[in-house]
Amino acid sequence: RAPASGAGVPIAAGLNVGPVKPLAESGRTNVIGDGVAAAIATAAFANAGEVLASRAFRDAIGPAHAERFAGAG
């Protein structure tokens, strides 16, 4: 399959479900929290063109949609 990319730059991403807190700084809103930290940690294992999901994300979407995600460990 062709790698996912945006504007010619290969991307990698991580998905997670968890608590987050909005934080306004420098006129922008950002989110912080365990949910974000876990998504960042998950993304760190992704290669360019991959989107990895945490087990918490897979469990949260339920068995009807979990089949779309291959187990990686």
Side-chain angles (χ1 to χ4, degrees), residues 42-60:
T42 301
F45 289 98
N47 294 312
E50 288 185 319
V51 176
L52 299 182
S54 68
R55 181 165 306 272
F57 179 86
R58 191 171 178 206
D59 291 347

Side-chain angles (χ1 to χ4, degrees), residues 14-44:
L15 303 174
N16 185 54
V17 173
V20 297
K21 178 181 177 183
L23 176 67
E25 57 186 6
S26 302
R28 297 177 63 176
T29 300
N30 203 351
V31 290
I32 59 172
D34 292 342
V36 175
I40 292 168
T42 301

